[in-house]
Amino acid sequence: MNALDDAQLAARVAQDIPDGSYVNLGIGKPTHVSGYVPDGREVIYHSENGILGVGPTPAPGTEDPELIDASKRYVTAAPGAAYFEHSDSFAMMRGGHIDIAVLGAYQVAENGDLANWATLDETYPPAVGGAMDLVVGVPTIFVMMRHVNRDGSPKLLKRCTYPLTGLGVVSRVYTDLAVLDVTPEGFRLVELTPGNSLDAVQAVTEARILT
C-alpha cells in the first residue's frame, strides 16, 4: 500500500488546523506539524515546557541550545512568542485554553479511547508526560500515527489493550494510510492515502471502517 512519510503526514494534519487556533503538539511525530502551516493562516503552537508561539525547526547551524520543545527538539520562536513556567503551561492545558492537541498513539479504539503512555513491553518504560492533562482539558484531540505496528499488527482496535490515557477523547485519526473520524458508530473514513483501497486498509484494521 501507499504510505505517507512523516513530513507528508504532518502536512496533512496541518491542513485541518483552523486559522487562529491554539495548538499543543505532542512528543514525537506531532512536533513536525508546526513546520507546515498553510499559507494565509496563523496558528499559535504551544509546548508544555513553557512556550506559546513555537516556530518551525531552525535551519542547521542556527539552533539555540536553550530553545527546545517538550521533545527536546530545537525550535524557533514565532514573533510575539511568550515563555512561562511549567505550572502556567499545564494550567493552560487543563483550563480549556488550548483548542487542539495533536498526539501520537500506541492504540486508538473505535470509541475514541486513547492509549499512548505505556505498553506491555518492559523494555519501553512508561511515560505519562502531559497527555493525560491534554485529553482532559483540550476539546479536540487529533491523533497522528502509523496505521500498523512494525510487526504488521493493527493499532486501530475495537478496544485498546494497553493502559488508557483517556476515555472517548479522540476526534480524528491521521495515519500513513488513511484519515478517519471517530463517531458514535465507530471509525468513519474521511479519505484514503492516494492509491490505497478501502479493502486493503480494512485488512490491517481490527475495527470496522464505516463509509
Side-chain angles (χ1 to χ4, degrees):
M1 279 186 288
N2 294 332
L4 301 180
D5 61 27
D6 288 351
Q8 292 169 325
L9 187 54
R12 176 62 189 88
V13 175
Q15 291 176 19
D16 289 348
I17 298 176
D19 183 43
S21 297
Y22 289 82
V23 180
N24 179 279
L25 299 177
I27 291 172
K29 288 180 174 59
T31 59
H32 299 288
V33 174
S34 63
Y36 297 94
V37 180
D39 291 342
R41 291 187 208 171
E42 180 184 30
V43 178
I44 302 91
Y45 287 109
H46 168 270
S47 181
E48 66 195 54
N49 59 327
I51 310 172
L52 188 63
V54 177
T57 303
T62 67
E63 300 91 345
D64 181 344
E66 296 188 356
L67 191 55
I68 60 172
D69 63 14
S71 298
K72 302 181 178 65
R73 183 180 68 100
Y74 291 121
V75 295
T76 56
Y83 307 97
F84 33 84
E85 66 172 345
H86 219 213
S87 59
D88 289 333
S89 185
F90 272 73
M92 293 178 187
M93 292 154 53
R94 295 168 180 162
H97 304 288
I98 306 297
D99 300 311
I100 298 170
V102 183
L103 302 176
Y106 296 129
Q107 297 175 338
V108 178
E110 62 185 356
N111 66 345
D113 289 352
L114 171 66
N116 79 342
W117 72 278
T119 70
L120 305 178
D121 187 342
E122 295 182 357
T123 61
Y124 295 95
V128 175
M132 291 184 181
D133 302 87
L134 287 165
V135 300
V136 169
V138 178
T140 301
I141 304 297
F142 290 165
V143 166
M144 175 181 171
M145 63 190 291
R146 292 291 159 198
H147 203 95
V148 300
N149 292 302
R150 292 180 181 177
D151 63 2
S153 59
K155 300 176 71 171
L156 299 178
L157 308 174
K158 294 178 181 178
R159 292 290 179 267
C160 294
T161 59
Y162 293 158
L164 295 180
T165 308
L167 297 168
V169 295
V170 177
S171 304
R172 177 170 282 191
V173 181
Y174 298 81
T175 82
D176 50 337
L177 304 183
V179 180
L180 305 166
D181 276 340
V182 177
T183 75
E185 295 78 32
F187 290 120
R188 187 168 296 279
L189 182 67
V190 176
E191 67 185 47
L192 296 165
T193 296
N196 291 341
S197 71
L198 177 57
D199 286 345
V201 175
Q202 181 66 77
V204 292
T205 307
E206 181 190 89
R208 183 184 175 195
I209 300 175
L210 305 171
T211 57

